[in-house]
């Protein structure tokens, strides 16, 4: 039987083993590209792949578990094993990862409990999830002849809490459900976070997360080990080789030479996991959000991360520089040539059809009628948009409206005319309008831009989306609302024979043929804000605030022959043609959000 142990060194089958790992998130890479990314990791001379497991894609709705398609964790790990890689698995309830709500399912927000704590009610939901998840993954442990060598208990918990009863409960639950490979925690490499987030006294390995100053960070980690009488191997579980990006901010970059020097310092002292090796894409509505004071800063669709492989999975300058350095340090490691995928260009695909959202609401969403407007979670919706409608009587020549307590972005229309766009903390400011009719229709489109994935705001009210209190005219709340959920999680059937209204949210259909399938990027510079569906697959959000002005389309989402792209655009800005390019487009249009 194969073995993996943590002694003074990592020991694989009784022999010292330096972990050379790279992070590839199966849920951010099209399944048809898993083997490509894994091969390129192996070609670097590395021996291990690391991945998180986001709870919210496997149990998006309470009690409904899915492990198919891009969620097929077992197939991803089997592919890694086939290529000759071991697996570090991080199946923690919370993952951070710049992922929506840190991987926690949104339906937890409807429960009366404290997440990431020893609250028995939270642990009960974790147990139900783990009973399903661990049945999938425990047969793939190295102790059962599989590729998994280590698993994580919680993620950067020392940057959130110090509830050791919670950590102990997760550890015991994992062990009860069959986990018998070594366990670890990962935190920042300074005393406060290590002390709060680790479980050294119970034999759980603390690892560090950092992107530079390897000697300094490893020294702090070693001191922490020794303070408990442990002489354990040093590992940087997340060596940040790049960084994530947010709307209306320049793309974050890191110089290759500086990165290689910093990584060399780490490799000379211990083991490493490159975070990220291949960043991939936040498909659908799965981007997270950073917390900055009262303002949340949603991350973009691309999770390129400035990693050794670009968003598409092709090697970058960093890849080749790291490969050369690794060969210098470990000349006996077997390295191979990476695989490079092609991309294609398609120009000037004409618009086939268009229709306004208001015309097809009843076709694509079921109407819910309530006295007061309901937030997203209360209507059983997790992600996307929520459309609110009511009738209001004109009571003054100049009416005064306010949306009270809502997130994240609201567009208000009176009789089809846009009268205000408000974003996050601006929601609640006065909106003035002079209605012409005695009875007027008020429509409000609210977009959930992504829940905070890290820090103290995990439990904030702003994690609940949509309108949470109501809408006021003058000094009183308006009653009698219709609500339409728009999660875009099911195939759409749109009646394009219905009307299109200028300046309103609308769907734009483009049709085209492809003979040879390759990856591509859809150019969205001529559109305002919205999402893109490729043959029914939601590939992510776009926004002309930048810095990205395109979306990546893996060839796995395309068909040989007929293809359809549907763009849902909310700002009333569109083009009569679209084009597909061989490379992503970057252009910071604005540096403010609204």
């Amino acid at each position: 039987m194969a073995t993996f142990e943590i002694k003074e060194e990592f020991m694989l089958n009784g022999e010292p083993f330096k972990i050379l790992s790279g992070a590839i998130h199966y849920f951010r890479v099209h399944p048809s590209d898993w083997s490509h990314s894994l091969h390129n990791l192996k070609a670097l001379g590395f021996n291990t792949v690391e991945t998180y497991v986001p709870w919210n894609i496997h149990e998006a709705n309470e009690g409904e578990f899915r492990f198919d398609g891009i969620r097929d964790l077992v197939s991803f790990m089997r592919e890694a094993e086939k290529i000759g890689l071991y697996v570090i698995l991080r199946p923690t309830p919370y993952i951070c990862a710049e992922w929506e709500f840190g991987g926690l399912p949104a339906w937890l927000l409807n429960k009366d409990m404290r997440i990431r704590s020893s609250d028995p009610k939270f642990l009960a939901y974790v147990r139900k999830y783990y009973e399903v998840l661990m049945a999938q993954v425990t047969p793939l442990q190295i102790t059962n002849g599989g590729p998994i060598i280590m698993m994580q208990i919680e993620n950067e918990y020392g940057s959130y809490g110090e509830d050791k009863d919670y950590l102990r409960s997760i550890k015991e639950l994992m062990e009860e459900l069959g986990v018998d490979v070594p366990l670890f925690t990962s935190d920042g490499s300074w005393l406060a976070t290590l002390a709060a987030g680790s479980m050294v006294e119970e034999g759980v390995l603390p690892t560090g997360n950092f992107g530079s100053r390897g000697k300094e960070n490893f020294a702090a980690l070693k001191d922490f080990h020794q303070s408990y009488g442990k002489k354990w191997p040093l590992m940087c579980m997340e060596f940040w080789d790049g960084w994530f990006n947010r709307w209306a901010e320049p793309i974050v970059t890191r110089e290759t030479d500086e990165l290689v020097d910093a990584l060399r310092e780490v490799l000379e002292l211990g083991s490493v996991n490159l975070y990220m090796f291949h960043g991939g894409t936040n498909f659908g509505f799965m981007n997270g959000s950073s917390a900055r004071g009262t303002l949340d800063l949603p991350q973009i669709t691309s999770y390129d991360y400035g990693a050794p492989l670009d968003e598409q999975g092709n090697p970058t300058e960093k890849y080749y520089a790291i490969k050369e350095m690794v060969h210098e340090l470990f000349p006996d490691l077997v390295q191979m040539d990476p695989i490079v995928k092609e991309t294609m260009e398609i120009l000037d695909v004409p618009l086939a059809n268009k229709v306004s959202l208001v015309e097809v609401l009843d076709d694509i969403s079921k109407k819910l009628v309530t006295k007061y407007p309901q937030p997203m979670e209360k209507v059983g919706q997790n992600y996307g948009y929520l459309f609110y409608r009511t009738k209001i009587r004109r009571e003054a020549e100049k009416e005064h409206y306010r949306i009270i307590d809502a997130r994240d972005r609201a567009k208000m229309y009176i009789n089809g005319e846009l009268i205000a766009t408000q974003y996050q903390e601006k929601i609640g400011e006065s909106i003035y309008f002079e209605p012409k009719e005695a009875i007027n229709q008020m429509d409000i489109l609210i977009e959930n831009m992504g829940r905070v994935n890290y820090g103290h705001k995990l439990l904030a009210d702003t994690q609940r989306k949509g309108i949470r209190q109501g809408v006021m005219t003058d000094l009183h709340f308006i009653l009698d609302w219709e609500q339409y959920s728009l999660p875009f999680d099911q195939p759409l059937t749109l009646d394009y024979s219905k009307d299109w209204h200028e300046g309103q949210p609308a769907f734009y259909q483009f049709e085209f043929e492809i003979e040879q399938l390759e990856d591509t990027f859809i150019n969205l510079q001529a559109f305002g804000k919205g999402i893109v569906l490729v043959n029914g697959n939601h590939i992510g959000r776009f926004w002309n605030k930048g810095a990205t002005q395109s979306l990546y389309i893996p060839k796995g989402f395309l068909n040989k022959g007929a293809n359809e792209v549907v763009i849902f655009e909310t700002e009333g800005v569109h083009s009569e043609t679209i084009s597909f390019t061989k490379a992503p487009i970057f252009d910071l249009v604005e540096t403010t959000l609204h």
Side-chain angles (χ1 to χ4, degrees):
M1 182 181 74
T3 61
F4 180 81
E5 301 170 282
I6 300 174
K7 296 186 176 180
E8 290 189 10
E9 298 182 74
F10 293 116
M11 305 294 288
L12 180 67
N13 299 322
E15 298 293 329
F17 182 68
K18 180 184 281 285
I19 298 174
L20 301 176
S21 176
I24 303 172
H25 297 159
Y26 61 99
F27 48 92
R28 281 178 160 135
V29 179
H30 192 278
S32 64
D33 290 322
W34 287 344
S35 61
H36 175 267
S37 301
L38 292 164
H39 169 88
N40 285 348
L41 179 59
K42 183 71 173 177
L44 197 62
F46 278 38
N47 52 38
T48 304
V49 63
E50 174 270 315
T51 186
Y52 280 122
V53 181
W55 184 357
N56 62 359
I57 69 165
H58 293 297
E59 194 184 2
N61 298 303
E62 184 179 356
E64 299 175 10
F65 297 95
R66 293 185 61 183
F67 290 89
D68 59 321
I70 203 168
R71 304 169 183 84
D72 192 347
L73 170 60
V74 169
S75 291
F76 174 79
M77 292 192 289
R78 287 297 187 197
E79 188 64 30
E81 181 182 37
K82 176 180 169 184
I83 287 172
L85 294 166
Y86 294 100
V87 174
I88 294 173
L89 195 65
R90 303 169 82 180
T92 57
Y94 162 84
I95 66 171
C96 183
E98 290 74 59
W99 192 253
E100 222 278 344
F101 201 15
L104 295 163
W107 53 262
L108 289 175
L109 293 166
N110 282 329
K111 309 299 182 180
D112 180 21
M113 64 186 181
R114 189 178 184 92
I115 61 171
R116 294 187 81 190
S117 81
S118 55
D119 185 333
K121 288 180 283 188
F122 176 64
L123 291 173
Y125 289 111
V126 176
R127 171 177 284 275
K128 291 177 183 177
Y129 165 52
Y130 269 18
E131 286 174 347
V132 177
L133 175 63
M134 295 306 166
Q136 295 264 330
V137 303
T138 52
L140 276 74
Q141 295 175 107
I142 193 168
T143 48
N144 294 321
I148 301 173
I149 57 173
M150 287 200 299
M151 289 197 212
Q152 179 172 271
I153 291 177
E154 237 274 1
N155 186 59
E156 293 186 327
Y157 191 69
S159 298
Y160 181 77
E162 54 182 24
D163 187 345
K164 295 299 179 80
D165 289 338
Y166 165 57
L167 296 179
R168 190 173 299 108
S169 296
I170 297 297
K171 174 181 181 290
E172 292 173 353
L173 178 57
M174 292 175 73
E175 291 171 340
E176 175 192 333
L177 296 175
V179 174
D180 57 10
V181 294
L183 300 172
F184 67 92
T185 55
S186 61
D187 287 287
S189 293
W190 62 93
L191 181 59
T193 55
L194 288 170
S198 67
M199 301 183 70
V200 189
E201 65 280 2
E202 299 199 25
V204 176
L205 175 72
T207 64
N209 295 347
F210 52 85
S212 60
R213 302 193 304 277
K215 291 180 181 178
E216 178 183 330
N217 281 291
F218 269 161
L221 186 59
K222 184 176 181 179
D223 287 346
F224 185 73
H225 289 178
Q226 291 178 341
S227 70
Y228 284 86
K230 304 293 185 182
K231 193 174 181 182
W232 276 336
L234 301 173
M235 179 160 188
C236 179
M237 189 54 67
E238 291 186 13
F239 180 81
W240 304 316
D241 49 28
W243 205 244
F244 58 90
N245 296 281
R246 298 177 288 228
W247 297 112
E249 294 181 2
I251 295 295
V252 179
T253 59
R254 184 172 186 179
E255 292 297 325
T256 298
D257 290 346
E258 180 270 328
L259 165 65
V260 171
D261 289 344
L263 178 57
R264 180 194 297 270
E265 188 176 308
V266 171
L267 290 175
E268 288 173 343
L269 296 170
S271 293
V272 74
N273 176 53
L274 295 180
Y275 191 98
M276 294 291 300
F277 175 70
H278 179 196
T281 308
N282 297 317
F283 295 118
F285 292 119
M286 287 296 106
N287 66 281
S289 183
S290 303
R292 182 182 294 171
T294 60
L295 182 66
D296 298 338
L297 302 174
Q299 287 114 27
I300 66 175
T301 298
S302 171
Y303 200 65
D304 178 279
Y305 207 83
L309 299 187
D310 62 18
E311 183 177 8
Q312 184 185 1
N314 280 339
T316 65
E317 177 188 74
K318 289 180 181 177
Y319 179 93
Y320 293 107
I322 292 171
K323 187 180 181 185
E324 182 179 346
M325 181 268 290
V326 169
H327 178 69
E328 292 172 2
L329 280 181
F330 313 109
D332 294 335
L333 281 182
V334 176
Q335 295 183 319
M336 300 175 287
D337 291 331
I339 300 172
V340 180
K341 294 190 292 181
E342 297 295 324
T343 54
M344 65 180 177
E345 179 182 71
I346 306 172
L347 300 177
D348 300 326
V349 176
L351 177 66
N353 291 292
K354 59 186 178 182
V355 64
S356 286
L357 170 65
V358 294
E359 297 292 335
V360 296
L361 273 173
D362 289 308
D363 301 335
I364 64 174
S365 180
K366 186 177 179 180
K367 179 169 63 177
L368 173 68
V369 179
T370 58
K371 186 175 290 290
Y372 294 94
Q374 299 297 301
M376 183 172 285
E377 296 77 15
K378 290 298 184 183
V379 300
Q381 182 181 346
N382 297 324
Y383 316 108
Y385 303 83
L386 195 50
F387 187 93
Y388 299 85
R389 170 171 286 172
T390 191
K391 299 290 186 181
I392 50 175
R393 181 181 301 277
R394 185 182 64 199
E395 296 175 340
E397 185 175 332
K398 189 174 187 179
E399 292 283 12
H400 174 208
Y401 308 122
R402 285 182 297 153
I403 303 171
I404 306 299
D405 191 21
R407 280 287 172 124
D408 284 306
R409 189 169 185 265
K411 300 183 73 69
M412 180 184 285
Y413 302 82
I414 302 294
N415 301 329
E417 178 185 348
L418 176 66
I419 65 168
T421 299
Q422 294 183 332
Y423 186 70
Q424 290 195 20
E425 81 284 4
K426 299 295 184 183
I427 292 176
E429 293 184 353
S430 295
I431 301 168
Y432 295 98
F433 184 69
E434 298 179 7
K436 298 180 176 62
E437 309 296 332
I439 303 295
N440 299 275
Q441 179 172 287
M442 175 183 285
D443 294 338
I444 301 174
L445 180 66
I446 300 275
E447 180 182 359
N448 169 2
M449 290 283 291
R451 295 180 180 87
V452 167
N453 57 264
Y454 176 83
H456 66 284
K457 292 188 73 173
L458 281 180
L459 296 173
D461 285 343
T462 51
Q463 297 285 70
R464 294 167 175 83
K465 306 302 182 179
I467 300 176
R468 295 190 297 264
Q469 288 199 44
V471 182
M472 302 188 83
T473 176
D474 192 26
L475 296 177
H476 62 269
F477 283 103
I478 302 169
L479 300 182
D480 301 325
W481 290 86
E482 300 172 355
Q483 285 128 130
Y484 296 84
S485 293
L486 300 168
F488 293 104
D489 57 356
Q490 299 294 328
L492 292 180
T493 300
L494 297 170
D495 184 355
Y496 289 104
S497 68
K498 294 185 177 180
D499 291 339
W500 173 82
H501 307 285
E502 187 173 357
Q504 290 191 9
F507 296 92
Y508 301 90
Q509 181 194 46
F510 299 84
E511 298 175 322
F512 54 99
E513 301 272 334
I514 302 176
E515 292 302 319
Q516 182 67 38
L517 296 182
E518 303 290 357
D519 292 351
T520 192
F521 296 82
I522 182 171
N523 182 343
L524 294 157
Q525 289 175 298
F527 291 79
K529 190 178 194 305
I531 64 170
V532 176
L533 307 172
V534 178
N535 295 319
N537 299 291
H538 182 185
I539 65 168
R541 310 176 198 259
F542 66 91
W543 196 1
N544 61 6
K545 303 294 179 185
T548 56
Q549 298 293 334
S550 58
L551 286 178
Y552 167 59
I553 305 177
K555 66 180 179 183
F557 286 142
L558 297 171
N559 303 321
K560 190 171 183 179
N563 288 269
E564 178 196 58
V565 165
V566 174
I567 299 175
F568 174 59
E569 203 283 334
T570 61
E571 311 306 292
V573 179
H574 79 284
S575 171
E576 294 296 312
T577 63
I578 57 169
S579 293
F580 302 85
T581 63
K582 291 187 174 183
I585 301 167
F586 303 100
D587 178 18
L588 188 61
V589 175
E590 292 189 35
T591 55
T592 58
L593 299 178
H594 62 267

